[in-house]
């Protein structure tokens, strides 16, 4: 049985909190929770992919609500995942942000790790990467799969993102319990 990380504080919890956070920390915590709570839904798959999940991402700067998609699937006995945030009104494969990863059956990894991520330059530092990690972690937990763990080969930006979650180098990305509607 997999233990899911304790609930992260939601935007309402932070706004009402009496914690001694300074106003900047409180505002930053609210901004960095860009998946609309309750918006994660299962979308039936097709013959090519297993079921997918959708959610809404709220860009904290522009206020736009953008479609997110995430999926996991097995390919050659490897568990793979992919998540992306689409550009508004664009059904093509053009995304503002994407994240993918896998486990390695040959290395016997009991967890999945990111292998690549991308956020358009104009949209960095707005929570896009955090939202994709949150979505994939929630999907993996919901499907009873191994947790999302950091890759040993991370960029400086990725290293900072994982460090901000205060989970160390072998912990799992926390699972938000407020995403499923």
């Amino acid at each position: 049985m997999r233990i899911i990380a304790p609930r992260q504080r939601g935007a309402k919890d932070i706004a009402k909190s009496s914690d001694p956070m300074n106003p900047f920390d409180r505002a930053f915590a609210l901004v960095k929770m860009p998946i609309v709570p309750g918006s994660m839904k299962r979308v039936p798959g097709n013959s090519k992919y297993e079921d997918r999940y959708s959610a809404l991402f709220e860009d904290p700067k522009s206020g736009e609500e953008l479609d997110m998609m995430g999926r996991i699937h097995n390919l050659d006995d490897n568990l793979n995942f992919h998540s992306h945030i689409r550009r508004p009104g664009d059904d093509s494969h053009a995304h503002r942000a994407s994240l993918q990863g896998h486990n390695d059956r040959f290395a016997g990894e009991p967890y999945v790790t990111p292998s690549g991520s991308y956020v358009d330059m104009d949209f960095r530092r707005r929570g896009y990467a955090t939202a994709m990690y949150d979505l994939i972690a929630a999907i993996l937990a919901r499907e009873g799969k191994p947790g999302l763990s950091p890759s040993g080969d991370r960029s400086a930006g990725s290293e900072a993102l994982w460090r901000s979650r205060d989970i160390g180098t072998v912990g799992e990305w926390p699972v938000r319990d407020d995403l499923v509607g």
Side-chain angles (χ1 to χ4, degrees), residues 21-167:
M21 283 180 156
N22 70 44
F24 176 79
D25 289 340
R26 186 173 297 216
F28 189 73
L30 288 168
V31 167
K32 287 297 193 170
M33 297 185 69
I35 297 181
V36 175
S39 69
M40 185 174 133
K41 308 271 189 270
R42 184 181 209 129
V43 178
N46 58 33
S47 60
K48 185 175 180 182
Y49 299 115
E50 296 176 17
D51 289 347
R52 298 172 294 161
Y53 288 81
S54 66
L56 290 175
F57 173 85
E58 184 175 350
D59 185 304
K61 185 173 180 182
S62 70
E64 296 172 294
E65 280 195 355
L66 306 171
D67 291 328
M68 293 184 71
M69 189 66 71
R71 64 177 163 82
I72 59 173
H73 64 281
N74 287 305
L75 180 65
D76 298 328
D77 293 329
N78 281 335
L79 178 66
N80 294 271
F81 67 83
H82 178 81
S83 178
H84 62 262
I85 300 174
R86 290 189 176 152
R87 293 183 176 130
D90 191 345
D91 288 334
S92 72
H93 289 287
H95 311 303
R96 281 192 182 168
S98 65
L99 171 70
Q100 58 276 336
H102 58 88
N103 73 336
D104 185 349
R105 69 182 170 109
F106 298 111
E109 294 176 353
Y111 48 83
V112 294
T113 60
S115 60
S117 64
Y118 174 79
V119 178
D120 283 349
M121 290 294 289
D122 292 341
F123 300 97
R124 292 184 181 173
R125 308 287 307 153
R126 294 192 197 183
Y128 281 72
T130 299
M132 291 185 300
Y133 278 91
D134 284 348
L135 181 61
I136 290 298
I139 294 169
L140 290 167
R142 189 169 171 99
E143 296 293 325
K145 304 296 185 185
L148 183 60
S149 296
S151 167
D153 184 24
R154 294 185 295 275
S155 68
S158 178
E159 180 71 35
L161 180 63
W162 280 91
R163 198 171 35 254
S164 75
R165 294 293 173 242
D166 196 28
I167 58 174

